[in-house]
């Protein structure tokens, strides 16, 4: 049961990331520069959530 739950969580996270990048890709409709800016913004947000979160700090220390 735990393995199934873990796989479901992984797929959910991938789906959320795809949704975020899909929103960034919609910037292409306005300007290629906007696409680049939005993609970088999404990368920064995802990096902060994955590697710089308070929860991760509390788990590692």
């Amino acid at each position: 049961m735990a393995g199934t739950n873990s796989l479901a969580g992984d797929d959910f996270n991938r789906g959320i990331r795809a949704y975020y990048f899909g929103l960034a890709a919609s910037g292409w409709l306005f300007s290629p520069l906007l696409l680049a800016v939005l993609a970088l913004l999404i990368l920064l947000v995802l990096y902060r959530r994955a590697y710089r979160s308070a929860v991760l700090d509390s788990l590692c220390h």
Side-chain angles (χ1 to χ4, degrees):
M1 193 67 137
T4 302
N5 199 14
S6 177
L7 290 174
D10 290 343
D11 287 340
F12 177 77
N13 283 334
R14 286 187 191 115
I16 292 294
R17 287 183 191 126
Y19 180 73
Y20 289 158
F21 281 109
L23 287 174
S26 67
W28 178 261
L29 297 173
F30 299 104
S31 156
L33 181 60
L34 184 60
L35 169 66
V37 170
L38 290 174
L40 285 174
L41 179 67
I42 296 297
L43 282 172
L44 289 172
V45 168
L46 291 176
Y47 174 79
R48 185 181 58 96
R49 290 182 64 192
Y51 298 107
R52 298 290 181 199
S53 69
V55 175
L56 183 61
D57 285 342
S58 67
L59 288 173
C60 293
H61 293 102

